[in-house]
Amino acid sequence: MRPAFDYDGSAVYNIDARDLPSVLDGPVDAVVTDPPYELGLGTAGETARWDSTGIAFDPDFWHAILGVMRPGAFLFAFGSPRTWHRLACAVEDAGFLIRDQLCWLYASGMPKGEWGDHAVDRALGVSDPRASREAGSASLRGRRLKEGAYIPATPEASRWTGFNPALKPAWEPVVVAQRPREAMLGRNLLDHGTGALDVADAAVPADMAELGRRYERNSRLRDGDPRGGDVMRDTVTPRPDAPRLDGRYPSDLVLDPRLDRLLPEGVPPFYFCPKASGADRPVVADAPMRRPAAGWPEQAARLGLRPDAPEVPASLLDAEAMACTTDAGVRRLAHPTIKPASLMRWLVRLSCRPGGLILDPFLGSGSTMAAARIEGRRCVGSELDTSYLPLIDARVRSTAAFDPLF
């Protein structure tokens, strides 16, 4: 199958992620991806459809991904605090080695639970005067709440004011896994170019003069260390007298800059990254859409698009393909789960060397692919939803929407 887009070595396929390994020409150097969190959001709405398939928890899927990675290559996969353990188990059962877990800690999460007083009133059949129920919806997802606090309507509900079943989300885990190496690290690096993270390219900015002073001081104090001198004296590698990296060694904790003020003075720096800003969110406000008609499967194959897509953005079609579709009105195209550009760039830099090939089976709005191209890596990936392809194309072609890396 031909890709929907080909950007000089980076390709976008409009296919199911399960089919992606079968179209790849060769092995990849890393996988950086944001798979569905499988939160069971119900049966209504676009997000619920793709977030309830079970693919992220399927060991067979991850085993297929393992098969197209070079020995020693790393996998970075985002998860939800509620379900990441099932993602990690599926990845491990597929044959990966779980090496670590990144904690992306941010300050701007929003609680999602329903308030207890509102829930009790609803259970007693009391309607919410602030809400209008959309046809066919049986949950709060189908309501448009107006401004103003909720006032419980019954004594029973008043007892549960201030209760909520959910905590405010403030972090997301990233599973760090690795395809097992074929040999010792040095041999694997020579044979495959994989097996280690590029920590130098992902080093955290630091006051190098102060960092150097700390290394020098620790070196001077070793001989008089009351614990017995140099704690590394019996190892093959001596304790360093100076920083090896131009910056601080990257850790498995990523912080929102707004949390920096909560840290005591003198705490070593972490990598800082807030949640996605408006600049990170590509949106097409009124995208003309087309509905496939007679002759569409042949045109879809020619353009690298899904033959069974219910609607297709007109911007993806040429005159010949347009003739095999009918008008489907306009839609607002926007992806609901966006990762910040600077975070994806940092992960891309960490995952493999410049020039390496990164795989993303769940492209979404194209964050990984755009980050890879900016950082001098190639990327190949798939996106099942045809309507997101214009977002990927716009994001990959433009670098202006990316925040500074640090």
Side-chain angles (χ1 to χ4, degrees), residues 248-404:
R248 184 169 288 277
Y249 199 101
S251 74
D252 55 9
L253 178 62
V254 178
L255 283 178
D256 187 320
R258 285 166 289 190
L259 297 176
D260 184 31
R261 65 181 185 271
L262 303 179
L263 300 177
E265 185 177 355
V267 172
F270 297 92
Y271 174 60
F272 296 102
C273 182
K275 294 195 75 174
S277 65
D280 289 322
R281 300 178 181 274
V283 175
V284 180
D286 297 304
M289 304 295 291
R290 304 292 294 183
R291 188 171 292 110
W296 169 249
E298 293 79 8
Q299 299 301 321
R302 181 175 63 84
L303 298 176
L305 303 177
R306 285 179 54 201
D308 58 344
E311 293 181 352
V312 182
S315 61
L316 303 176
L317 308 179
D318 55 21
E320 185 178 352
M322 287 281 285
C324 298
T325 62
T326 59
D327 180 41
V330 298
R331 276 185 55 191
R332 181 180 184 272
L333 303 182
H335 200 278
T337 59
I338 304 294
K339 291 299 180 289
S342 60
L343 177 59
M344 300 312 296
R345 290 176 62 184
W346 185 73
L347 290 176
V348 160
R349 289 157 66 97
L350 185 62
S351 67
C352 68
R353 296 180 301 170
L357 178 61
I358 294 174
L359 176 69
D360 185 355
F362 307 98
L363 280 171
S365 65
S367 302
T368 302
M369 180 167 287
R373 286 173 58 80
I374 290 173
E375 297 299 341
R377 280 77 169 168
R378 295 172 295 133
C379 182
V380 62
S382 59
E383 174 50 48
L384 180 63
D385 194 328
T386 309
S387 64
Y388 293 146
L389 295 185
L391 304 181
I392 297 174
D393 189 45
R395 198 163 196 185
V396 170
R397 292 182 183 279
S398 173
T399 60
F402 283 81
D403 296 330

Side-chain angles (χ1 to χ4, degrees), residues 89-223:
C89 287
V91 167
E92 187 174 44
D93 290 346
F96 284 89
L97 300 175
I98 302 297
R99 298 304 302 265
D100 209 329
Q101 174 184 300
L102 284 169
C103 173
W104 174 32
L105 194 63
Y106 48 77
S108 54
M110 295 294 293
K112 306 298 194 301
E114 181 182 4
W115 288 102
D117 50 7
H118 186 281
V120 170
D121 272 346
R122 192 159 62 92
L124 294 175
V126 179
S127 61
D128 185 347
R130 306 169 305 156
S132 61
R133 184 184 296 274
E134 293 181 358
S137 173
S139 71
L140 285 178
R141 190 186 310 108
R143 298 182 175 200
R144 298 184 297 273
L145 295 182
K146 300 177 182 178
E147 293 183 1
Y150 181 73
I151 301 175
T154 64
E156 294 87 349
S158 298
R159 295 177 54 204
W160 297 104
T161 297
F163 284 76
N164 195 300
L167 295 172
K168 175 181 176 179
W171 74 290
E172 286 185 33
V174 181
V175 174
V176 182
Q178 184 182 29
R179 174 173 173 171
R181 301 193 305 258
E182 288 186 342
M184 60 185 295
L185 176 59
R187 187 74 260 167
N188 205 92
L189 291 171
L190 289 170
D191 292 345
H192 303 288
T194 51
L197 299 171
D198 195 349
V199 295
D201 207 8
V204 180
D207 182 340
M208 295 306 297
E210 173 61 25
L211 196 58
R213 284 192 292 270
R214 292 184 182 183
Y215 271 80
E216 192 273 335
R217 181 186 62 202
N218 290 340
S219 177
R220 283 189 287 105
L221 293 176
R222 281 183 301 195
D223 292 337

Side-chain angles (χ1 to χ4, degrees), residues 59-83:
D60 290 338
F61 166 73
W62 293 112
H63 183 73
I65 296 299
L66 179 83
V68 298
M69 298 171 66
R70 295 186 188 276
F74 279 85
L75 162 73
F76 292 85
F78 284 83
S80 161
R82 201 176 90 193
T83 60

